[in-house]
Amino acid sequence: MISVSDLPGIDEALALVLSRVQPLALEDVPIGAAAGRVLGEEARAAIDLPPFDSSAMDGYAVRAADTPGSLAVVGHSAAGRPEARALRPGEAVVISTGAVVPTGADAVVPVERTTGEVDVEQVAVGENVRPRGGDARAGDVVVAAGSLLGPPQVAALAAAGVARVRCARRPRVAVIATGSELRAPGSPLAPGEIYESNSILIAAQLGLSGIEASVLPVVADDATATRAALERGLEHDVLITSGGVSVGPHDLVRATLSELGAEEVFWRVAVKPGKPIAFGVRGDTLVFGLPGNPVSSLVGFELFVRPALSALQGARDPGPDYLPGRLARAVRRNMQRDELVRARRVDDRLEPLSGQDSHMIARAAAANALVLIPRGEGELPVDAGVSYLRI
Ligand code: AMP
Ligand code: MG
């Protein structure tokens, strides 16, 4: 019997997962659909940004050397409608924000700093002018390969004239809940039955990171049904199963995966909750056997599945994205296993919730953080610095 101290820890298990990830092929993605994707190749500006010297203010385009002074207004440069004629000494052009600063002008006097038609205050060369290329130069790398494209990144690329980017295709992910006791919410429960929540949980975890799961029908703890379901699931890039990875007579998932030719890379990790998690591969398919207890499933996904999905899509830093925080009260440590404690974050203080058993998904509904409590003796005191994941 392997003792818990021989099991891989979280970092070791994650390294094993990531070592088996083959990044998915790249495809073209329109920039308007690229948010949430990982950029596969660095993306460079197609143009100088701004593409021309442009005004930062509504006012008058002038020659700084003519200010202060009384100037003759000779034209109008609006956004998208440049003034064609060049500015000569003593002249000014009415200009709006974002409009081309006409040839010959080298500053803009804001309208608030003018009187009549038109006496302008003094301005320096370059004042209120956004120089061409001041944000990015054509050819500059705007977003590096391996970056997650969030709102600022897609906006930057669109502004720099990038219409399409190269991103790894989205992983195709199957989710299979196993357990003869499971019923869909909304149907009546017979004695011994419970409502199935893990496929809802996992599909939500996937969906919020932009991956639409194929949720296959729940399978009973029956060898034939399990085999048929897993066979289908193995046709995906990632198969996530729930339940059936412990040591009971009805825990069929690991043995069936092995019959189907999957290599088990590890089974069980020194983590609480979620110890019985299994991870394997068959061909290019990654298989995560998450334990059935809902909180174990939640934790196993955040620790191992989410980073694997990021790595499949070519993320430079696949996570998990731990944040620093402080404990709002002392927490006893587990001697043998690192623990992910459900907590409520208020500012940067983390209040561990009561009800930490791995079946207590209703208690976990109050949580917005998983706090990592490293294994060891005694307790972490109030105010101890800790790392946590947002959930
Ligand atoms: P297992 O890992 O199959 O031994 O299941 C452990 C516990 O989690 C048992 O109490 C199961 O009834 C429960 N469980 C398993 N799968 C689910 C599921 N999909 N939704 C909710 N609870 C589950
Ligand atoms: Mg079960």
Side-chain angles (χ1 to χ4, degrees):
M1 182 73 188
I2 300 176
S3 83
V4 174
S5 53
D6 295 330
L7 297 179
I10 295 172
D11 292 346
E12 196 184 333
L14 179 60
L16 286 168
V17 170
L18 296 178
S19 75
R20 306 308 286 260
V21 169
Q22 300 286 343
L24 298 169
L26 302 182
E27 64 185 10
D28 269 4
V29 182
I31 194 67
R37 304 285 291 260
V38 177
L39 189 63
E41 291 172 355
E42 63 185 12
R44 294 172 179 271
I47 53 159
D48 288 341
L49 192 64
F52 46 84
D53 287 349
S54 87
S55 179
M57 300 288 236
D58 293 322
Y60 294 88
V62 300
R63 300 154 58 98
D66 290 344
T67 66
S70 198
L71 303 175
V73 176
V74 297
H76 194 144
S77 184
R81 302 196 187 287
E83 169 58 55
R85 62 174 281 187
L87 209 73
R88 288 188 303 237
E91 293 180 343
V93 157
V94 176
I95 194 163
S96 40
T97 306
V100 176
V101 175
T103 311
D106 57 15
V108 169
V109 189
V111 72
E112 308 84 66
R113 287 167 57 190
T114 66
T115 49
E117 277 285 309
V118 60
D119 290 317
V120 301
E121 291 179 11
Q122 181 155 16
V123 281
V125 171
E127 213 174 315
N128 301 313
V129 175
R130 303 161 170 171
R132 172 177 179 158
D135 195 2
R137 293 262 174 212
D140 282 355
V141 174
V142 177
V143 182
S147 308
L148 180 64
L149 295 174
Q153 290 75 33
V154 292
L157 291 169
V162 177
R164 308 181 75 77
V165 286
R166 301 282 290 165
C167 296
R169 67 175 175 78
R170 286 289 200 190
R172 288 176 304 112
V173 182
V175 177
I176 302 174
T178 73
S180 299
E181 73 281 27
L182 304 174
R183 289 293 165 267
S187 53
L189 291 181
E193 295 180 343
I194 62 167
Y195 287 121
E196 198 282 308
S197 59
N198 288 350
S199 68
I200 305 288
L201 166 71
I202 297 163
Q205 287 171 307
L206 291 165
L208 290 181
S209 49
I211 297 174
E212 196 186 331
S214 305
V215 179
L216 303 186
V218 174
V219 279
D221 298 315
D222 162 88
T224 312
T226 301
R227 187 181 168 107
L230 295 183
E231 239 170 339
R232 249 184 96 190
L234 284 165
E235 289 162 11
H236 296 71
D237 299 312
V238 178
L239 167 59
I240 305 171
T241 65
S242 150
V245 288
S246 294
V247 291
H250 304 291
D251 291 326
L252 305 171
V253 171
R254 294 175 54 232
T256 310
L257 284 169
S258 152
E259 278 171 38
L260 291 170
E263 172 199 351
E264 187 165 85
V265 177
F266 62 75
W267 172 54
R268 308 204 303 163
V269 174
V271 64
K272 184 179 179 204
K275 186 174 77 168
I277 186 171
F279 170 68
V281 292
R282 193 186 76 170
D284 288 340
T285 302
L286 306 179
V287 187
F288 294 90
L290 299 180
N293 275 308
V295 181
S296 306
S297 176
L298 184 157
V299 167
F301 185 98
E302 295 301 334
L303 293 181
F304 304 112
V305 184
R306 191 184 294 287
L309 293 167
S310 295
L312 273 173
Q313 295 175 87
R316 225 178 358 187
D317 176 13
D321 295 326
Y322 286 103
L323 299 166
R326 284 181 306 124
L327 287 178
R329 64 177 171 77
V331 177
R332 175 152 301 284
R333 302 211 274 178
N334 186 288
M335 285 285 283
Q336 295 180 305
R337 290 187 276 164
D338 295 338
E339 190 166 358
L340 278 298
V341 166
R342 274 73 67 213
R344 178 110 209 126
R345 173 175 39 82
V346 181
D347 303 324
D348 74 334
R349 289 169 62 88
L350 297 148
E351 178 71 49
L353 301 175
S354 65
Q356 293 283 335
D357 291 347
S358 62
H359 67 287
M360 290 184 162
I361 190 66
R363 301 297 185 97
N368 56 15
L370 291 177
V371 181
L372 177 64
I373 306 292
R375 67 186 109 170
E377 295 196 10
E379 61 176 33
L380 287 188
V382 64
D383 273 340
V386 287
S387 300
Y388 73 95
L389 300 174
R390 283 175 197 263
I391 51 170

